Amino acid sequence: MTSEVLSIKNLCKEYVSQSERLCVLKGLDLSVQKGERVCVIGKSGNGKSTLLNIVGGIDSATSGSVVAGGKEISSLDEDQIAEYRAKFVGLVFQFHYLLKDFTALENVFLPAYMAGFPKAAAMEKAKKLLSDVGLSERAAHLPSELSGGERQRVAVARALVNDPELILADEPTGNLDPANSAMIGDLLFDSTSRYNKSLLLVTHDIGLAKKGQSVYELKDGALHRK
């Protein structure tokens, strides 16, 4: 039996300047079920990142409905949005955004600790996730001492540490060479499958998108099933 983790209905996003009104999302609809891995492909600049930012509570929609975990995102106050971002969603970006003065282990540990996990439990979970992504032996290294692929593996572990329902991945392989791109793609899909997480991934890489159970193309502001 499946259950809906994310429901988007009639989503619109406009950017208005003095000279023009730019509509990047036009009545977009999308549903993501528990454990489902959904990919959205499209050209750069067509609104893929905007879509993820709205779902992640980083940006707001002009109109429409985004319900995640049974809650309408637009109705949440600042504290509720912060809790939503900390616990319901896990974020993986094109750039890893690791804290440069903290080790790989500390980068994974800190979000759990800040979300209220006891220190020992947060550390154990961080160690296990680093082991799961094959980086146990690199746990004490700073981001500057890791390769691009290793940094992105740390970012995947960090996204999973608070046991979120939904992983949002924005061009997660876009800054990597082909070998590391394939490895990170496999890792994301394997990890979300292993932990029964839902995944919403946006990419321009058709090969990566084909790993998803459901694939859509974002074109002219709307989603089209592939």
Side-chain angles (χ1 to χ4, degrees):
M1 182 177 179
T2 60
S3 58
E4 198 171 45
V5 170
L6 176 67
S7 174
I8 301 173
K9 294 182 179 177
N10 202 27
L11 184 68
C12 296
K13 179 64 178 180
E14 294 181 345
Y15 294 100
V16 181
S17 67
Q18 291 181 340
S19 60
E20 66 176 340
R21 179 188 298 268
L22 178 63
C23 186
V24 293
L25 301 176
K26 306 172 184 176
L28 183 149
D29 295 317
L30 179 66
S31 175
V32 179
Q33 305 297 318
K34 173 71 175 178
E36 186 180 14
R37 290 170 290 286
V38 177
C39 295
V40 176
I41 61 171
K43 297 178 180 178
S44 297
N46 69 351
K48 299 191 306 298
S49 293
T50 300
L51 171 61
L52 277 203
N53 286 341
I54 291 172
V55 176
I58 297 168
D59 198 355
S60 58
T62 303
S63 62
S65 170
V66 179
V67 177
K71 297 178 181 179
E72 170 60 63
I73 302 302
S74 64
S75 69
L76 303 181
D77 61 28
E78 285 188 17
D79 289 342
Q80 291 170 325
I81 279 287
E83 182 176 8
Y84 167 78
R85 285 202 300 259
K87 296 182 178 180
F88 188 83
V89 295
L91 303 169
V92 181
F93 300 98
Q94 179 174 350
F95 301 100
H96 54 80
Y97 295 118
L98 299 179
L99 300 171
K100 65 183 180 65
D101 296 324
F102 291 83
T103 65
L105 180 60
E106 290 167 339
N107 267 282
V108 180
F109 157 82
L110 278 171
Y113 185 56
M114 293 175 68
F117 282 86
K119 186 175 182 179
M123 186 60 72
E124 281 307 306
K125 189 157 193 182
K127 287 179 179 177
K128 182 181 186 306
L129 283 167
L130 277 183
S131 175
D132 286 349
V133 301
L135 287 179
S136 290
E137 295 181 357
R138 309 288 280 168
H141 287 68
L142 296 172
S144 60
E145 299 170 319
L146 302 174
S147 69
E150 287 172 336
R151 291 173 196 158
Q152 202 66 322
R153 278 192 270 168
V154 176
V156 172
R158 179 184 58 188
L160 289 164
V161 74
N162 284 343
D163 198 27
E165 287 287 329
L166 177 63
I167 300 295
L168 303 176
D170 187 359
E171 294 282 9
T173 64
N175 203 37
L176 300 173
D177 61 66
N180 275 309
S181 292
M183 181 268 294
I184 291 297
D186 288 342
L187 177 64
L188 262 173
F189 285 95
D190 290 346
S191 297
T192 49
S193 177
R194 181 188 313 143
Y195 291 107
N196 195 29
K197 303 302 178 188
S198 303
L199 173 67
L200 178 57
L201 181 149
V202 303
T203 181
H204 66 273
D205 184 341
I206 296 174
L208 176 61
K210 286 181 178 178
K211 295 177 183 289
Q213 295 160 300
S214 302
V215 182
Y216 298 85
E217 182 180 12
L218 181 54
K219 187 176 182 180
D220 298 327
L223 287 176
H224 306 273
R225 189 75 180 253
K226 298 293 284 185

